Amino acid sequence: MKLISWNVNGLRAVVGKGFADIFADLDADVVCLQETKLQAGQIDLEFLGYSSYWNYAEKKGYSGTAIYTRVAPLSVSLGIGVAEHDTEGRVVTLEFDEFFLVNVYVPNSQDGLRRLDYRMSWEDAFREYLLSLRAKGKAVVVCGDLNVAHEEIDLKNPATNHFNAGFSDEERGKFSQWLAAGFVDSWRMQHPDEAKYSWWSYRMAARERNVGWRIDYFVVSEDFKDRIVSTDIHNEIYGSDHCPVEIVLK
């Protein structure tokens, strides 16, 4: 089973940059999108053989997540069941026979870490949500833009970004707590020493110079890590400031 996750930074924009062809070339069983920046009815984009499920932010042109799947889910849920965290369209969960798939767009702490307190609250609530899924007796696969580079290897310039959003001690610590609760960073498990990035600023030709961050992940519960066949970061694919990331499960 091949799964793709991609922060498209505006789905309508990336549709104009060859999204349909990229979607076809990736030939995934499930494609999870973040930052769709859509409201219901603003786009008609379906693919033969796939069903789609959408979670929209209340604020127009902001956030939003979606999943395309050619494997029929047993159930679909939107959000994490916490009112204060469920207005921004950040989570779609599909239940399959053997696991829950959670597509997430984690809140950005913003310049000056001005939204860090909210981010910390979100992290605790989201971790509890994942553990509640685990308590149902199935594995959990989480994908999306997690807005954190966990270790120094996960960004080009760790020293100069130590106190910036996405690489603060607080955000990295929450990700460590999540992993300690019984989850595995699939890319880092398979590529322990490789520096490869999934996001680049639009400023200062960052992508051309490969001055990037790895903030897009597939994280799986410990009991599913032996099902990982391969992982990939498709930094050859353009259209967004992020590139797609991939996992193949047996």
Side-chain angles (χ1 to χ4, degrees):
M1 189 176 188
K2 181 178 179 181
L3 299 89
I4 292 288
S5 174
W6 192 10
N7 179 323
V8 291
N9 193 12
L11 185 54
R12 286 174 293 181
V14 80
V15 163
K17 301 175 183 178
F19 177 77
D21 290 336
I22 295 169
F23 188 100
D25 289 345
L26 287 169
D27 191 28
D29 298 294
V30 183
V31 177
C32 297
L33 306 178
Q34 304 90 42
E35 213 171 353
T36 54
K37 297 183 177 179
L38 291 171
Q39 303 301 122
Q42 286 189 313
I43 197 169
D44 181 12
L45 184 64
E46 298 298 336
F47 296 96
L48 184 64
Y50 290 83
S51 300
S52 63
Y53 304 93
W54 302 76
N55 194 0
Y56 306 103
E58 292 179 3
K59 180 181 176 181
K60 292 183 178 179
Y62 180 73
S63 190
T65 46
I67 301 180
Y68 288 91
T69 177
R70 57 188 179 197
V71 181
L74 302 177
S75 67
V76 180
S77 62
L78 306 181
I80 61 174
V82 180
E84 68 174 303
H85 297 312
D86 283 344
T87 64
E88 297 183 349
R90 293 188 177 274
V91 177
V92 180
T93 301
L94 303 189
E95 180 185 4
F96 295 114
D97 286 339
E98 295 184 87
F99 65 97
F100 290 97
L101 173 64
V102 182
N103 176 28
V104 61
Y105 176 39
V106 170
N108 191 303
S109 294
Q110 303 295 331
D111 292 342
L113 300 177
R114 64 182 185 272
R115 211 183 187 201
L116 182 62
D117 287 346
Y118 175 75
R119 168 70 177 268
M120 296 295 97
S121 173
W122 158 275
E123 291 280 359
D124 291 339
F126 185 62
R127 187 174 65 253
E128 288 304 311
Y129 173 68
L130 299 181
L131 293 176
S132 74
L133 295 179
R134 286 289 296 115
K136 296 181 180 181
K138 289 188 178 181
V140 176
V141 176
V142 186
C143 70
D145 176 0
L146 303 188
N147 263 315
V148 63
H150 187 219
E151 304 290 352
E152 291 191 353
I153 192 176
D154 293 320
L155 72 167
K156 184 70 171 181
N157 295 314
T160 56
N161 283 290
H162 185 193
F163 299 105
N164 290 339
F167 198 60
S168 68
D169 291 341
E170 293 88 348
E171 292 162 310
R172 296 167 67 196
K174 289 296 185 185
F175 191 59
S176 294
Q177 286 181 33
W178 177 9
L179 297 182
F183 290 84
V184 175
D185 174 354
S186 65
W187 166 265
R188 189 54 65 209
M189 184 186 82
Q190 289 208 321
H191 307 267
D193 302 312
E194 184 173 354
K196 196 171 184 180
Y197 309 126
S198 66
W199 174 81
W200 304 261
S201 170
Y202 280 133
R203 294 176 291 184
M204 301 178 66
R207 189 156 188 176
E208 289 75 10
R209 298 185 296 120
N210 198 30
V211 179
W213 299 48
R214 186 177 73 96
I215 59 176
D216 301 270
Y217 295 76
F218 276 94
V219 177
V220 306
S221 52
E222 281 271 1
D223 55 338
F224 223 53
K225 66 181 183 181
D226 292 339
R227 303 287 293 273
I228 300 171
V229 176
S230 62
T231 55
D232 203 355
I233 298 175
H234 288 285
N235 58 3
E236 78 282 4
I237 294 178
Y238 285 70
S240 168
D241 52 349
H242 296 249
C243 73
V245 296
E246 173 187 311
I247 193 170
V248 176
L249 301 170
K250 59 184 176 183

